[in-house]
Structure formats: C-alpha cells, structure tokens
Amino acid sequence: MEIAFYILAGMAVTSAILVVSLKNLVRAILALASLFLSIAGLYILLSAEFLGLVQILVYIGGVILLFLFLIMLTENLFEKNKVNLFQRITGVGLVLLLFSIIISIFMKQPFQAIPKTDYSIQELGKHLLTDYLVPFEVVSLLLLVALIGAIVIAKKEENK
Amino acid sequence: MKEYLWVAFFLLVGIAFCLGGFIFNWFIRSNKPSESKLSTYECGEKPVGSAWIQYDVKYYLYGLLFLIFDVEIVFIIPWATIFKGSATVTALFVEMVIFIVILLVGLIYAGKKGALQWR
C-alpha cells in the first residue's frame, strides 16, 4: 500500500513538473493526462473508487479531449506571441501570492486523516436517488443549460 | 482493493507493450535517413505549410457535446449498480427517465439547431 502511494505520488509530481516545463503544448497535455491518471490511482488507494472512476472517465476522457481541441483551435501561440517582461512579472507575482495563500492555510489547519469510510458505488447510488433526489434531477437541468450554452456560443462563432 | 492489482498489472503490461515495441525496433532497425524518408508522408506526398493549423470550431462543439453526455454517464453508473434487486424498482426507473428526458431535450435542441450536422 505504502509503495503504491509513493509510486503514484512520484508519477503525479513528475507529470506535474512536465506539464509546466514542456514547451510543446500537446506534449504538456499528454503529461496532464498522466497526472490525472496518477491522481485517479491515489483516489482508488484512498478507497474512493467512484471518484477515481469519474476522474478517469471525465478528466482523461473529456477534459483532456477539450484541451486538445482548444489547442487545435488556436494558432501557434509560441511563434507569434512572445511573453514580455510585464507579463512575466505579473505571472510570477500571482503565482507567489497563490503559493503563500495555500501555504498559510495549510500552516493554520494541518492535514487530518479522514476516518475510513466504506463508501461503495451502490451506497452512493442509494443516497443519490433517495435523499438527494432533487439535486440529482437539478444536475440534469444544469447539464441541459451547459449543452444549450455550448451550442449557442459555437453556432455564433461559426456564423461569423 | 486487491482487485485493483489486476488493473495495475494491465496498466504495466500496456506500457511495457508500447515501450517494448519502440525499444526492440530501435535495436534491430537499420538507420540510413535521407531527405525523402524523413518527410511527413514517406509515400511521396509533399506536406504544405505547418502542421499547426487553426481547426474549425465545430470540432470543439462535438467535444463539448461528448463531455456533457460523458458527465451524464457518471450519474447513470451509480443508478445502474443499485437497480437490480432493489425494492423500489419503479421509483428508480421513473427517476432516471426524468433525468434522461431533461437531457433528451438538449439532444433534440442540438439536432434542431443543426449542431449534429457536418457542414
């Protein structure tokens, strides 16, 4: 168990570093897919099987696909847009700010082990369709709104 | 948790299969590159321009539609695991029908707007 955690964590950190350091965006996104996969493995290791499943299905299947399409939609960013000094300074400043905020929160509130619960997919399904029925149906509406919004925006773009 | 060892095993076999092909090829191949061999299409078709072109936005639309129905599947899986042998099968069925009908409206909208047509 411990070995599996270290392997997956090492994979996650390596791919995260690759994501930000690779110059070729398509390669960076493939590294991002490997990051998502190792995080899915970590979820399963924490016996959050459903979350791991969703991570693979939605993030690797869907989000990576959208990222790839987004890159295909843009022109070659690196040859045309050189990053100037101002952008560099603001970028570094924002990253440092975010980093200090995250660190300060973790310093105040140290990590606590979550009590081990045995939440299977069946258990989740039962709760979802009885106690949380209304949010469940609202999710459907939310997806509908996202669907229609996507179509409207993409159609407008097409008509230009 | 034990059954996930098989998943890890298949993952490793898959990675080893790909890498093994590359490495084995690298050892046994002959290496005599020429200009026409290194071009994108070795069969004689000359590539025009850069491979990095701007694709049409309609590819993105298909990607978005896929993602939305992908998320729908995430909600159907827990439902499917408890459906068999449940005491309230009718209620479960009706609940899922409502869920799917709402999304079906979206699919019909997409069809009517011509988002599913390739033009």
Side-chain angles (χ1 to χ4, degrees):
Chain A
M1 288 291 268
E2 206 127 285
I3 299 165
F5 170 77
Y6 283 119
I7 292 170
L8 285 169
M11 233 177 95
V13 172
T14 319
S15 6
I17 290 170
L18 279 178
V19 171
V20 289
S21 61
L22 281 173
K23 282 271 181 259
N24 188 322
L25 277 181
V26 178
R27 284 179 193 161
I29 279 172
L30 291 179
L32 192 65
S34 128
L35 172 66
F36 285 158
L37 189 70
S38 43
I39 288 174
L42 286 175
Y43 284 152
I44 288 167
L45 212 62
L46 292 167
S47 59
E49 289 168 315
F50 185 68
L51 205 57
L53 200 78
V54 170
Q55 177 84 7
I56 291 172
L57 198 69
V58 174
Y59 277 81
I60 300 176
V63 173
I64 292 288
L65 177 111
L66 278 193
F67 280 171
L68 280 174
F69 275 141
L70 263 182
I71 285 175
M72 280 157 64
L73 285 174
T74 59
E75 289 169 70
N76 199 337
L77 294 167
F78 284 99
E79 282 169 16
K80 284 184 182 153
N81 305 333
K82 283 272 176 272
V83 183
N84 62 33
L85 191 69
F86 175 70
Q87 285 168 323
R88 249 174 232 272
I89 290 168
T90 36
V92 170
L94 284 174
V95 167
L96 283 177
L97 185 70
L98 183 67
F99 184 72
S100 55
I101 289 170
I102 291 171
I103 290 295
S104 65
I105 287 169
F106 281 146
M107 293 297 259
K108 269 184 207 152
Q109 223 163 15
F111 286 110
Q112 279 172 341
I114 302 164
K116 196 161 165 96
T117 42
D118 198 26
Y119 260 118
S120 61
I121 300 178
Q122 280 94 337
E123 202 79 19
L124 189 83
K126 258 178 223 155
H127 283 294
L128 200 62
L129 289 157
T130 52
D131 305 340
Y132 300 100
L133 181 62
V134 176
F136 175 70
E137 302 292 358
V138 170
V139 161
S140 175
L141 270 177
L142 190 69
L143 286 174
L144 179 70
V145 171
L147 185 74
I148 290 172
I151 292 167
V152 168
I153 291 168
K155 280 280 144 190
K156 208 194 278 169
E157 203 71 16
E158 213 170 63
N159 289 338
K160 257 185 206 166
Chain B
M1 193 54 68
K2 277 269 173 8
E3 58 264 40
Y4 283 101
L5 279 179
W6 283 106
V7 179
F9 174 72
F10 273 96
L11 199 68
L12 285 180
V13 169
I15 292 168
F17 188 78
C18 293
L19 279 184
F22 271 109
I23 292 166
F24 189 63
N25 266 342
W26 191 70
F27 274 119
I28 64 165
R29 73 181 179 195
S30 61
N31 189 12
K32 286 178 203 151
S34 68
E35 200 190 326
S36 56
K37 264 189 191 170
L38 288 174
S39 69
T40 310
Y41 305 108
E42 216 189 318
C43 53
E45 202 67 45
K46 280 209 174 74
V48 179
S50 159
W52 199 313
I53 58 163
Q54 211 176 345
Y55 282 79
D56 204 309
V57 75
K58 61 189 168 194
Y59 289 98
Y60 192 63
L61 186 57
Y62 277 84
L64 270 175
L65 290 181
F66 165 72
L67 185 68
I68 285 159
F69 288 104
D70 204 33
V71 175
E72 187 191 349
I73 287 170
V74 167
F75 285 94
I76 292 178
I77 290 169
W79 171 81
T81 54
I82 58 163
F83 192 70
K84 192 181 175 190
S86 171
T88 52
V89 169
T90 332
L92 282 181
F93 184 71
V94 170
E95 282 162 17
M96 188 41 81
V97 165
I98 294 168
F99 185 81
I100 289 174
V101 162
I102 293 172
L103 276 163
L104 208 61
V105 174
L107 193 63
I108 292 165
Y109 178 80
K112 280 265 189 266
K113 277 273 167 184
L116 299 171
Q117 262 165 349
W118 193 259
R119 267 172 304 163

